[in-house]
Amino acid sequence: MNKQFSGVVHIVGAGLLGASIGLALTVKNTRVTLADVSPTALALAADYGAGTPRRDGDPLPQLVVVATPPEYTAEAVLVALREFPEAIVSDVASVKQLPLAQLRAAGADLARYIGSHPMAGRERGGAIRARADLFTARPWVVCAHELAAASALRLVESLALTLGAVPVRWDPAAHDSAVAAVSHLPQIIASLTAAQLLDVPRENLQLAGQGLRDTVRIASGDPLLWTQILTANSEPIVALLEGVQRDLAGLLDALRDPEARGARRQIATLLAAGGDGASRIPGKHGTSNTFEQLTVIIDDRPGQLAQLFTDLEELEINMEDMRLEHSPGAQIGFIEICVLPEAKERAVAGLTERSWRIV
């Protein structure tokens, strides 16, 4: 079992991930120094408590974490390897094959380099949105390669553990293929869906429900950053998009002539496949448990949510997941609660008895 990290960490890149790593480490009294090409970003991260700007004479780091945009990752790693010849260097870019290939081509000291990728983030970036708990219980992919020193691998995994993440070892190619499906494709679909709303009359959007909001939630990501990510991982993404294209072509054919023989079956088959795919997404604690849902109406006034949580605790009902939705134009909201199947009947009865409205 790897021990938690102790030592000096230098972070290159003071955006969301870099600042969040800095915040999480400084909370644990780890010495953190920062660098960024933007003096404003650097000062902001420091003001938030993510570390201090590195100066001549500061202690040398045991670990350097590069948290720059993907197109600068390899260059920043190479500079760090040269500037700190005794340090282990990692990066947290969302693609792993390209920087490794670029570092090989540059003749970098790959024994001291380990690529990694925390599977955590937010819709918008920047130090202003950094959080010390961003990585808690999230997978932290560590991409070893054949030239990496075992000590480097252990140090990066100890960093992940210190930040509350769960380190998992993946091959760089397997990692890029996986994130193309679970991260990059959803970003594209969300953005394409949201883009169609530009031509929808504003009054029509007043009817938008939680389904639309859930679908487009991540569409507000930084276009420049995502352009870098998508172009750096284009091959697996293209393969996925070609699958979407085939399904979309079939759906279009069926909808253009819904009375044609087999059209409705084709539509239903595609929709059913979507449900089957969604059921494969791991649930709480990495399992594929199927939960029962119940929707509770709550008044839009202070204390309602806290009271609901208190009542569930007193009823000894464990809430596996939840989603809150406000009702446009009404002073009520809906909270969708997921519970284990065997607990649903008891939850409904207990909450109803306590005057909660279940729909």
Side-chain angles (χ1 to χ4, degrees):
M1 185 73 174
N2 290 330
K3 296 181 179 179
Q4 291 200 337
F5 180 85
S6 61
V8 178
V9 177
H10 180 55
I11 299 173
V12 181
L16 172 64
L17 290 183
S20 293
I21 293 170
L23 283 172
L25 289 172
T26 53
V27 165
K28 297 178 179 295
N29 298 315
T30 298
R31 176 70 182 272
V32 178
T33 59
L34 303 168
D36 196 286
V37 295
S38 166
T40 301
L42 180 61
L44 186 61
D47 283 349
Y48 272 92
T52 58
R54 183 168 181 80
R55 296 180 174 87
D56 292 341
D58 282 344
L60 294 176
Q62 284 75 48
L63 176 65
V64 179
V65 179
V66 172
T68 63
E71 66 181 356
Y72 303 114
T73 296
E75 179 183 351
V77 169
L78 191 61
V79 170
L81 288 168
R82 292 170 177 168
E83 185 177 357
F84 305 105
E86 301 299 321
I88 302 303
V89 180
S90 184
D91 74 273
V92 292
S94 58
V95 290
K96 301 274 61 104
Q97 290 186 96
L98 181 60
L100 179 58
Q102 291 171 331
L103 290 168
R104 287 187 197 275
D109 180 6
L110 292 178
R112 295 189 291 119
Y113 166 71
I114 292 284
S116 71
H117 181 206
M119 301 302 296
R122 305 185 72 180
E123 291 83 8
R124 296 183 182 273
I128 193 172
R129 294 177 177 84
R131 288 172 38 176
D133 63 350
L134 186 67
F135 311 105
T136 301
R138 300 299 304 161
W140 190 300
V141 182
V142 181
C143 290
H145 53 87
E146 76 282 1
L147 296 178
S151 58
L153 182 62
R154 289 193 297 269
L155 190 65
V156 174
E157 289 181 334
S158 73
L159 171 70
L161 289 170
T162 301
L163 299 179
V166 181
V168 291
R169 297 184 185 182
W170 279 61
D171 171 79
H175 165 273
D176 287 0
S177 178
V179 296
V182 304
S183 176
H184 304 168
L185 180 64
Q187 177 68 44
I188 294 170
I189 299 302
S191 297
L192 293 178
T193 301
Q196 298 305 308
L197 303 179
L198 293 173
D199 295 325
V200 174
R202 187 172 296 275
E203 59 269 21
N204 292 6
L205 296 177
Q206 298 299 318
L207 301 180
Q210 197 62 35
L212 179 63
R213 293 185 176 89
D214 288 346
T215 302
V216 303
R217 180 180 60 83
I218 58 175
S220 58
D222 182 355
L224 178 59
L225 174 62
W226 273 105
T227 298
Q228 295 179 38
I229 293 171
L230 298 181
T231 54
N233 198 30
S234 59
E235 185 175 344
I237 294 172
V238 166
L240 289 164
L241 287 175
E242 286 174 343
V244 173
Q245 187 178 48
R246 288 191 296 271
D247 286 347
L248 186 58
L251 182 60
L252 283 169
D253 287 342
L255 290 174
R256 286 189 179 107
D257 188 5
E259 300 304 321
R261 182 178 178 85
R264 284 179 170 78
R265 178 179 178 179
Q266 185 169 8
I267 295 169
T269 299
L270 286 171
L271 296 176
D276 291 341
S279 70
R280 299 189 66 212
I281 300 173
K284 186 180 179 183
H285 307 311
T287 63
S288 295
N289 290 334
T290 299
F291 302 127
E292 293 286 344
Q293 297 178 345
L294 60 144
T295 302
V296 182
I297 298 176
I298 59 172
D299 294 328
D300 188 10
R301 55 186 173 86
Q304 282 283 282
L305 202 55
Q307 184 61 54
L308 177 61
F309 291 163
T310 299
D311 288 346
L312 287 169
E313 181 180 3
E314 291 178 355
L315 291 167
E316 298 184 347
I317 303 294
N318 189 45
M319 185 169 58
E320 307 294 336
D321 201 356
M322 63 157 282
R323 183 175 63 181
L324 180 63
E325 178 180 357
H326 291 286
S327 179
Q331 298 302 308
I332 61 172
F334 302 92
I335 179 167
E336 186 179 272
I337 300 170
C338 295
V339 299
L340 292 173
E342 57 269 26
K344 181 177 181 179
E345 185 175 342
R346 183 161 51 89
V348 171
L351 291 175
T352 301
E353 184 176 329
R354 294 170 184 236
S355 301
W356 290 101
R357 293 168 289 171
I358 313 294
V359 295

